[in-house]
Amino acid sequence: ETLLGLGAGNVDGFRIVGAGNDIEALININYEIPLSAFYNNTDITYYHDIGGKCTKINEKAFYTCTGVTSYVFPEVEAIDTGSGGGTSGTFKNNTSITTLSFPKLSIQMGGGFYGSLAMGCTNLTSVSMPLYAGTFGGTMFQDCTALTGVTHSGVTSVGASAFLNCTSLLSFDCSNLIGVGSNAFQNCSSLTDITNLDSCLTINTKAFHSCTLLESFTAPLVTDIAVTAFYLCESVTAYNFPELT
């Protein structure tokens, strides 16, 4: 109750599970998880909002919760990833989770260079946010070395270092994407498919640096490409930028 800022009357069926590190309860009002609620809490092993009452998760809410293996948030609409210093992030360094799913997510707040959703989640393999069409802020998924794909609804911008060192990422749908930030996909050494770049205008420094399996790249409207955007993309045999002058 204290961690979530709720009163006793808002919590039903409270019980301690197992060895005492886990709690189950039914929350009877809509709520949000406050700033730093479980910051550096290595004892919590899961958080399941079974009743679907949580609508927002604030910055650093689950920062470095290395023991968590599962999250369930069926009704979360907003996540604050933060935009401050290196300790910002929502699920940053959750090294035990393998999947993240937010079926109702439509708003990401923050998103500056350190606006990380899941940076350093080294066992995370997939992320699903099928309604999300905003931006992927800087360092969003940086160092998620097991991540193979992210389901979204057409993000408009991928920020600096958003997928830096995501060495297992296989593909990314760029529908509606206008800009690719510096180092956005750097060292994505398994990336073979970048599709639907029909809206992209800008590709920044080292955006695809060392994407060694990319074979071709077409962006019909792009007008600004940094010199090092495709540095060490050794397999690319064809580039198509008809609007580039």
Side-chain angles (χ1 to χ4, degrees):
E1 297 169 8
T2 302
L3 289 173
L4 298 177
L6 300 171
N10 303 133
V11 180
D12 300 323
F14 180 91
R15 70 189 185 100
I16 297 175
V17 181
N21 292 329
D22 296 311
I23 294 170
E24 289 186 355
L26 295 175
I27 297 172
N28 56 35
I29 60 167
N30 289 341
Y31 71 101
E32 59 184 62
I33 298 179
L35 171 73
S36 304
F38 297 94
Y39 186 88
N40 282 341
N41 187 326
T42 57
D43 292 328
I44 182 176
T45 60
Y46 66 91
Y47 193 106
H48 292 178
D49 180 44
I50 301 300
K53 296 296 186 180
C54 182
T55 58
K56 180 183 177 183
I57 304 172
N58 281 288
E59 181 186 354
K60 297 186 280 190
F62 295 98
Y63 185 98
T64 315
C65 291
T66 54
V68 174
T69 59
S70 176
Y71 291 103
V72 174
F73 289 109
E75 298 294 332
V76 160
E77 298 175 348
I79 295 178
D80 189 347
T81 58
S83 56
T87 57
S88 291
T90 314
F91 298 91
K92 188 174 180 179
N93 298 331
N94 276 229
T95 52
S96 296
I97 57 170
T98 58
T99 62
L100 282 174
S101 178
F102 305 104
K104 298 291 184 69
L105 180 66
S106 59
I107 302 170
Q108 177 213 345
M109 303 169 64
F113 186 74
Y114 291 102
S116 171
L117 178 70
M119 178 180 177
C121 295
T122 51
N123 284 306
L124 183 66
T125 61
S126 65
V127 178
S128 177
M129 44 182 72
L131 299 183
Y132 186 72
T135 64
F136 282 165
T139 73
M140 189 84 163
F141 300 104
Q142 180 179 328
D143 299 328
C144 292
T145 52
L147 184 65
T148 60
V150 178
T151 301
H152 58 91
S153 187
V155 296
T156 56
S157 175
V158 175
S161 304
F163 291 93
L164 176 64
N165 299 328
C166 291
T167 53
S168 299
L169 189 68
L170 299 174
S171 63
F172 189 80
D173 184 356
C174 295
S175 302
N176 301 323
L177 190 68
I178 296 172
V180 183
S182 300
N183 313 96
F185 294 95
Q186 183 175 345
N187 296 332
C188 291
S189 53
S190 298
L191 189 63
T192 60
D193 192 12
I194 291 288
T195 60
N196 300 325
L197 274 160
D198 294 346
S199 301
C200 188
L201 302 176
T202 303
I203 301 174
N204 282 292
T205 305
K206 299 182 180 179
F208 294 94
H209 185 298
S210 297
C211 291
T212 52
L213 293 184
L214 273 180
E215 294 183 353
S216 64
F217 205 95
T218 299
L221 298 181
V222 114
T223 56
D224 185 9
I225 300 178
V227 173
T228 57
F230 296 95
Y231 186 63
L232 296 181
C233 291
E234 298 168 347
S235 298
V236 175
T237 58
Y239 293 101
N240 184 13
F241 306 121
E243 293 297 317
L244 194 62
T245 57

